[in-house]
Amino acid sequence: MGRKLLTEHINVPGIDTFEVYRKHGGYRSVEKALKTMTPDEVVEEVKKSGLRGRGGAGFPTGMKWSFLAKPEGIPRHLVCNADESEPGTFKDRELMSKLPHLLVEGMITSSYALGANTSYIYIRGELLYVLRILEKAIAEAYANGFLGKNILGSGYDLDLHVHPGGGAYICGEETALLESLEGKRGNPRNKPPFPAVQGLYARPTVVNNVESIAAVVPIINDGGEEYAKIGVGRSTGTKLISACGHVKNPGIYEIELGVPVEEFIYSDEYCGGIWKGRDLKAVVAGGSSVPILPKDLILKTAAGENRLMTYESLSDGGFVTGTMLGSGGFIAMDETTCIVRNTWNFSRFYHHESCGQCSPCREGTGWLEKVLHRLEHGHGHMHDIDLLVSVAKQIEGNTICPLGEAAAWPVAAAVRHFRHEFEWHVTHAKQAAQPGAVYPAQGVLA
Amino acid sequence: MESTTATVKPQFSQAAQAEIARLFTHYPAERRKSALLPLLHIAQAEFGGWVSPEVQDLVAETIGILPIEVYEVSSFYTMFNLKPVGKHVLEICRTGPCMLRGSDELTANLERITGAKVGGTSPDGLFTLKEVECLAACGTAPIVQVREKYYEQLDTQEAVDAMLNELRNLVHRPLLPWEETGLQHTQQ
């Protein structure tokens, strides 16, 4: 049983109220930071913890914080990225709706470290009901002197607001998020300047994922070194994994980084195996943007070592035989899953969500969707398979933001590992176009 | 559906105006445009589940920005309905994890029961069906969002029927969070 640094009290009745949360040790990190530490000392602890951004990119949080420009007389901002939209990922929604005060506490401690006096939580618009939960928690924090002027007599002031999006995956990209927060379309900005220099309202800004901000709480409570003792190598601490798709027990699991993938899938402590007694076919381990891996490569690396739930182990083998931990959106597919249909579905998603700013992404995602649609529906040609790879390659690296790569990688990986299924959709076009049809080489279906 | 060519200029309710005034305090005075998305949500809830050009003009005027600044935003984000909708908009998640758990079947089932096609409204005006991308509830797929509520694990007929019955029996629209009077309002 691994340690639960974030979710230990998640099922305590009333933990969404200030009173119960406080009784279970809530807001200690604020007291410790504001009363006994300088802002730089807080940053230092986060650096020592080795915490890496939990939104997907995995960039060290402490280092990101230390890049924040601090020009005299210009306000700085901390913005929490709660625009959780990566298919397969639902950890932040769970964390915010059940433990709203954990995020509020993390925001206060982190804002103090960065010297921000106005901070925002940008939450996806679909989660308006979670916005209400957070606003209630924020009101309670104000009423108890943890927000507002002169918090705990420290002289530090902080206002915290929640801001809803309007339904756009792209706003999870940090500069698109800032545009959106300014009341504009979510078009990602060219970088540089980076948000650390010119972010919200052209002021120095840090944007962090919900889970990263929440992790600051145990890091300050117990010290960065304690946090860094959990995990393997540069993958320190715990991570929330959203398990979904064809696992027996979908849900949120807080794991110590380093759990073997096989244990995560098959142990009753986690996913409990694959549903309906079926065999596992493939896994998308870190949200829909990361490369899909077939069963043998998700359980073991190409070198035959056990694959672990860490940033390094999952990316072992690069994109040839590896993938990424990403956001922790863990999508399992059983033997009856049609990989072509699934790839088409994800391509449709990226085409729909492309902001349209860069031609390679706007046009390329459309091409990917179109070609996959005709393969899936029995109108494909053999040369379409290489066309997919070619279009994916031309998107990659040619766009302002990473949505282009996010659209291209899954397609390239699906063709790399499941080319036989794409070919089957051409050679057995009529059969493949039937609803529920699946490549028959594996498993029970004829 | 009521006439969409109303000549009476739309006005926010007093409760909504109070909420808008509160929201304006969240942003620097010279950055009031930041309140655009929150205001569009309020407008859509106040004026029958969609934002007409007149309603968008009201939003622009309330903030003090040009109407085009509202139009370009409302057309970018998928949550804002730019055409009239039925009483309840069922937003069905169609993305991978939901598809693996039966969202295609759910959509077909809802089309059959309601008589609406995706993108359209049922003949009785009760339900508009809309397919949307990932709603971040993949662990309880397949799911449907209706206003601020998530209906989850809709993989059985019972669950689907329970959702539709709940919605059918809602004579009044749900109380909006900024309405503190406690009075129920009749459907617009």
Side-chain angles (χ1 to χ4, degrees):
Chain A
M1 195 64 179
R3 267 165 291 183
K4 307 272 184 272
L5 299 182
L6 306 180
T7 59
E8 186 186 353
H9 304 301
I10 198 161
N11 292 318
V12 172
I15 195 71
D16 59 331
T17 64
F18 178 86
E19 198 192 340
V20 176
Y21 180 74
R22 184 91 170 114
K23 248 184 224 160
H24 286 82
Y27 289 98
R28 274 190 299 138
S29 78
V30 176
E31 291 174 312
K32 184 171 175 182
L34 269 59
K35 288 182 177 169
T36 70
M37 300 168 80
T38 66
D40 286 345
E41 284 169 351
V42 178
V43 175
E44 209 44 48
E45 284 306 314
V46 174
K47 272 190 185 169
K48 273 190 222 159
S49 74
L51 173 67
R52 293 165 70 175
R54 299 299 195 221
F59 191 81
T61 305
M63 204 184 291
K64 194 174 191 177
W65 284 11
S66 66
F67 291 157
L68 183 67
K70 295 179 178 171
E72 204 58 38
I74 299 178
R76 312 187 269 278
H77 294 290
L78 171 63
V79 177
C80 174
N81 184 344
D83 191 58
E84 183 173 56
S85 310
E86 174 82 5
T89 316
F90 48 101
K91 64 191 176 70
D92 297 338
R93 167 181 177 250
E94 176 103 346
L95 204 65
M96 291 186 290
S97 57
K98 293 193 172 159
L99 288 166
H101 282 286
L102 179 65
L103 178 59
V104 174
E105 177 177 357
M107 284 299 287
I108 301 169
T109 305
S110 305
S111 298
Y112 172 74
L114 298 169
N117 298 110
T118 307
S119 296
Y120 296 94
I121 299 170
Y122 180 102
I123 189 167
R124 62 178 298 177
E126 290 85 348
L127 295 182
L128 279 178
Y129 81 95
V130 182
L131 177 144
R132 315 282 176 219
I133 295 171
L134 287 170
E135 287 208 321
K136 186 173 157 279
I138 288 171
E140 287 183 317
Y142 270 104
N144 286 280
F146 281 90
L147 279 171
K149 298 258 175 250
N150 192 19
I151 298 169
L152 305 179
S154 65
Y156 174 63
D157 305 336
L158 176 65
D159 284 314
L160 177 59
H161 308 296
V162 197
H163 180 100
Y169 167 76
I170 190 60
C171 293
E173 195 278 336
E174 62 180 7
T175 60
L177 185 151
L178 296 174
E179 286 286 297
S180 183
L181 185 45
E182 293 181 2
K184 303 176 198 157
R185 295 163 72 94
N187 289 340
R189 297 174 182 169
N190 262 312
K191 290 169 285 251
F194 287 92
V197 179
Q198 280 184 41
L200 182 64
Y201 309 136
R203 299 165 179 172
T205 304
V206 166
V207 182
N208 283 141
N209 172 259
V210 171
E211 188 187 347
S212 309
I213 300 272
V216 170
V217 172
I219 288 169
I220 296 308
N221 281 339
D222 307 332
E225 279 169 19
E226 274 304 302
Y227 188 87
K229 283 180 189 165
I230 303 172
V232 178
R234 289 181 54 237
S235 296
T236 61
T238 64
K239 172 93 190 81
L240 298 176
I241 306 292
S242 322
C244 60
H246 293 151
V247 294
K248 204 167 152 197
N249 305 318
I252 305 293
Y253 298 97
E254 183 174 3
I255 63 163
E256 293 190 3
L257 285 168
V259 171
V261 175
E262 188 163 8
E263 182 184 337
F264 181 71
I265 297 174
Y266 293 102
S267 157
D268 284 336
E269 195 184 325
Y270 305 111
C271 300
I274 304 305
W275 75 343
K276 301 182 178 177
R278 290 180 186 160
D279 195 10
L280 176 67
K281 182 179 198 170
V283 167
V284 176
S288 62
S289 307
V290 311
I292 188 171
L293 286 184
K295 178 184 177 181
D296 53 344
L297 279 176
I298 189 68
L299 297 180
K300 291 196 191 300
T301 65
E305 286 169 15
N306 278 337
R307 188 86 77 177
L308 308 179
M309 298 288 280
T310 63
Y311 293 96
E312 292 75 21
S313 179
L314 282 167
S315 58
D316 184 294
F319 278 3
V320 180
T321 58
T323 183
M324 288 166 76
L325 177 64
S327 63
F330 194 93
I331 312 166
M333 300 171 198
D334 74 19
E335 58 198 322
T336 71
T337 308
C338 174
I339 299 297
V340 176
R341 185 171 183 78
N342 201 73
T343 310
W344 163 58
N345 180 295
F346 282 148
S347 284
R348 183 178 63 177
F349 171 85
Y350 289 108
H351 182 212
H352 184 264
E353 299 300 334
S354 172
C355 81
Q357 205 177 195
C358 312
S359 314
C361 174
R362 180 184 65 240
E363 305 301 323
T365 53
W367 272 91
L368 292 177
E369 185 197 342
K370 197 198 292 185
V371 173
L372 282 159
H373 182 275
R374 70 177 177 234
L375 280 165
E376 165 64 9
H377 292 84
H379 310 297
H381 307 280
M382 225 26 122
H383 58 75
D384 279 342
I385 303 171
D386 286 328
L387 179 61
L388 286 175
V389 176
S390 149
V391 172
K393 262 197 195 136
Q394 293 174 70
I395 300 175
E396 238 185 293
N398 292 322
T399 55
I400 290 175
C401 88
L403 189 140
E405 279 86 29
W409 291 342
V411 175
V415 174
R416 189 179 309 124
H417 298 298
F418 295 94
R419 193 175 189 101
H420 50 278
E421 290 204 23
F422 288 82
E423 289 172 350
W424 182 76
H425 273 71
V426 178
T427 56
H428 294 72
K430 264 193 187 158
Q431 197 183 335
Q434 297 298 314
V438 62
Y439 177 74
Q442 224 176 344
V444 290
L445 291 187
Chain B
M1 196 53 54
E2 284 187 22
S3 167
T4 59
T5 55
T7 47
V8 181
K9 196 180 157 192
Q11 293 292 335
F12 282 115
S13 67
Q14 284 206 337
Q17 286 180 32
E19 171 68 1
I20 291 167
R22 183 184 77 92
L23 288 172
F24 280 153
T25 68
H26 290 181
Y27 314 99
E30 72 283 11
R31 296 287 190 170
R32 263 181 24 165
K33 186 177 172 180
S34 275
L36 178 49
L37 287 174
L39 256 68
L40 279 169
H41 282 296
I42 293 176
Q44 179 154 296
E46 286 253 305
F47 299 106
W50 70 295
V51 283
S52 65
E54 293 78 17
V55 165
Q56 295 187 53
D57 292 348
L58 171 67
V59 170
E61 189 190 310
T62 308
I63 299 176
I65 56 177
L66 296 170
I68 182 67
E69 294 179 84
V70 180
Y71 305 157
E72 67 175 6
V73 163
S74 63
S75 59
F76 182 85
Y77 297 91
T78 58
M79 288 186 75
F80 304 113
N81 300 312
L82 305 179
K83 290 183 178 148
V85 291
K87 184 175 175 187
H88 303 294
V89 182
L90 273 55
E91 306 195 53
I92 313 159
C93 177
R94 69 176 188 183
T95 317
C98 268
M99 184 185 76
L100 292 174
R101 289 262 175 172
S103 61
D104 288 346
E105 293 76 8
L106 173 64
T107 302
N109 196 14
L110 286 171
E111 284 188 331
R112 190 179 51 77
I113 299 174
T114 63
K117 289 275 164 221
V118 166
T121 301
S122 58
D124 57 11
L126 267 184
F127 301 110
T128 297
L129 299 187
K130 185 173 165 186
E131 274 189 330
V132 297
E133 299 293 356
C134 191
L135 291 173
C138 322
T140 43
I143 63 160
V144 167
Q145 176 177 24
V146 186
R147 289 179 188 265
E148 296 195 11
K149 184 162 178 179
Y150 275 35
Y151 292 90
E152 302 176 45
Q153 280 187 303
L154 298 173
D155 50 358
T156 62
Q157 190 62 45
E158 293 74 46
V160 173
D161 289 343
M163 169 182 74
L164 292 175
N165 285 333
E166 183 176 308
L167 293 171
R168 279 194 193 100
N169 292 328
L170 270 179
V171 179
H172 304 291
R173 67 182 169 86
L175 197 64
L176 301 172
W178 53 89
E179 294 169 347
E180 289 165 4
T181 60
L183 296 173
Q184 290 224 313
H185 297 247
T186 51
Q187 178 72 15
Q188 308 248 343

